[in-house]
Amino acid sequence: STPPDVSGGSVQGFSLFFEMNTLFEEYIGRIARRVFRPDGFKVVLQGHQRYLTYDEPTEREAFAMKPDVVGLKGNDAAWIIDTKWKELSKEEAKEGVAQGDMYQMYAYSNRYACSDVVLLYPHHEGLGPNHGIRTRYRLNSWTDSQGSQQQGRVTIGTVNLANLATVPNQLRALF
């Protein structure tokens, strides 16, 4: 999509722009906090940081990972939501879900030992009338620190923002 042209025309005015990725992430995080807190989850926005690697020469962790929204039970990540402010498309392979985003979800699932990760996009008319779960992918297994085989899944979902009163139930339906 093309950004609005703010330099054309003869009428003076002002513009107000929002970083929609950040706004969408913050909105979903706050709604998730409200929805899942009564179920005993501590919902953390951009704060449950872990590292992907350990830099041996400097003896420090490197490549910080900060999922958008993490649902914790105790100290364990029960689920992770990563928001993407971009349009999926039925015409594209895998509806346009980027391979890099799937690698990111695999890394989150593995590093946080979290079996339920969600890539969440805004819903739009081009996807048809049904919002919510678009598809689920089972992640290939990995071995945890105790030597047990673990397996996770990535849910690709959309949330319809046309009626904000319905968003809490839409989030609940993803899990």
Side-chain angles (χ1 to χ4, degrees):
S1 60
T2 320
D5 180 6
V6 295
S7 61
S10 60
V11 177
Q12 290 266 335
F14 71 93
S15 327
L16 183 61
F17 291 97
F18 295 98
E19 174 53 53
M20 291 305 295
N21 287 315
T22 304
L23 189 61
F24 184 50
E25 172 189 316
E26 183 78 17
Y27 176 72
I28 294 300
R30 287 177 183 233
I31 295 298
R33 186 176 281 155
R34 192 175 82 210
V35 166
F36 295 112
R37 185 180 294 154
D39 296 335
F41 290 99
K42 177 182 177 189
V43 178
V44 179
L45 284 64
Q46 283 278 326
H48 199 66
Q49 182 172 305
R50 293 202 176 154
Y51 291 86
L52 185 60
T53 65
Y54 186 80
D55 184 357
E56 291 177 348
T58 64
E59 297 184 353
R60 292 173 36 199
E61 298 200 80
F63 298 102
M65 302 173 75
K66 293 192 298 188
D68 294 342
V69 185
V70 181
L72 297 169
K73 278 281 190 174
N75 290 326
D76 299 325
W79 49 261
I80 292 172
I81 299 174
D82 196 65
T83 59
K84 302 291 181 192
W85 184 259
K86 67 179 191 180
E87 287 188 356
L88 294 178
S89 170
K90 290 173 96 172
E91 285 74 46
E92 291 186 51
K94 299 173 194 80
E95 293 192 334
V97 173
Q99 187 161 341
D101 292 338
M102 290 301 288
Y103 287 143
Q104 182 182 19
M105 295 301 95
Y106 183 83
Y108 285 163
S109 185
N110 186 327
R111 184 64 182 96
Y112 286 80
C114 180
S115 61
D116 211 359
V117 294
V118 176
L119 271 171
L120 187 63
Y121 301 84
H123 193 79
H124 61 86
E125 285 181 2
L127 295 174
N130 298 327
H131 54 79
I133 297 170
R134 305 293 300 170
T135 192
R136 284 195 163 126
Y137 294 100
R138 182 177 44 86
L139 294 170
N140 290 325
S141 61
W142 65 89
T143 304
D144 68 15
S145 59
Q146 284 78 39
S148 300
Q149 286 291 108
Q150 299 296 317
Q151 192 169 61
R153 71 177 179 187
V154 178
T155 299
I156 309 299
T158 61
V159 61
N160 188 336
L161 300 171
N163 180 353
L164 298 181
T166 66
V167 172
N169 285 337
Q170 291 182 64
L171 284 183
R172 188 174 290 286
L174 292 171
F175 295 99

